[in-house]
Amino acid sequence: MAEHDLQLVARRIRSFPDFPIPGVLFRDISPLLKDPDSFRACIRLLASHLKTTHGGKIDYIAGLDSRGFLFGPSLAQELGLGFVLIRKRGKLPGPTVSASYALEYGKVGRLGWPGGQEQVPELPRLTQPVTAHFLSTG
């Protein structure tokens, strides 16, 4: 099943060398998102990988704005976990927690996620995988 799923997913990802800048190999996931069978196969593969590498030690799946929102909720559902939105600072209402980050092209910014005990009580201790640019940046 895993080999079939890998082939199904691989056929739906297009590569564009030197985009958006020379030296970057951009992976376009649009065809994957348009094909329900390929998308389900991708989620199964990711879930299987996380179960193998992290076992039952994942509290939540966190997804970065915006590609993480495409895969994160489905992956969380497949694993029977909750999903946490991570967005650019100031884009979520209510109390939030934030952290600095650096982009692969050298820009720096801040990310925020829901904060407060009623939102995600264990968030400061989490070491769960974060779904985001995993296909486009490797």
Side-chain angles (χ1 to χ4, degrees):
M1 176 63 97
E3 186 59 35
H4 172 73
D5 284 350
L6 280 171
Q7 291 175 8
L8 191 59
V9 170
R11 286 194 305 262
R12 297 292 185 263
I13 298 174
R14 302 183 303 178
S15 298
F16 293 92
D18 298 319
F19 182 83
I21 61 173
V24 172
L25 178 61
F26 181 84
R27 307 282 185 168
D28 178 19
I29 61 171
S30 300
L32 176 76
L33 296 173
K34 288 195 286 188
D35 179 25
D37 292 333
S38 296
F39 184 77
R40 275 191 294 274
C42 181
I43 296 300
R44 278 194 304 270
L45 288 166
L46 290 168
S48 175
H49 174 72
L50 293 177
K51 286 176 188 175
T52 300
T53 57
H54 297 282
K57 297 178 184 173
I58 303 171
D59 298 308
Y60 299 94
I61 296 295
L64 292 170
D65 194 352
S66 67
R67 272 175 266 186
F69 297 174
L70 299 173
F71 291 87
S74 296
L75 182 57
Q77 185 177 31
E78 180 77 15
L79 293 169
L81 300 171
F83 177 72
V84 177
L85 297 169
I86 298 180
R87 299 204 59 200
K88 290 180 183 167
R89 188 174 175 186
K91 297 288 186 178
L92 290 171
T96 60
V97 178
S98 66
S100 296
Y101 68 95
L103 293 172
E104 62 270 29
Y105 310 123
K107 296 180 183 175
V108 176
R110 290 191 67 77
L111 293 173
W113 55 89
Q117 293 301 93
E118 72 286 352
Q119 299 281 340
V120 185
E122 300 88 9
L123 195 59
R125 300 184 297 109
L126 294 179
T127 57
Q128 80 280 352
V130 176
T131 61
H133 304 283
F134 63 91
L135 290 175
S136 66
T137 62

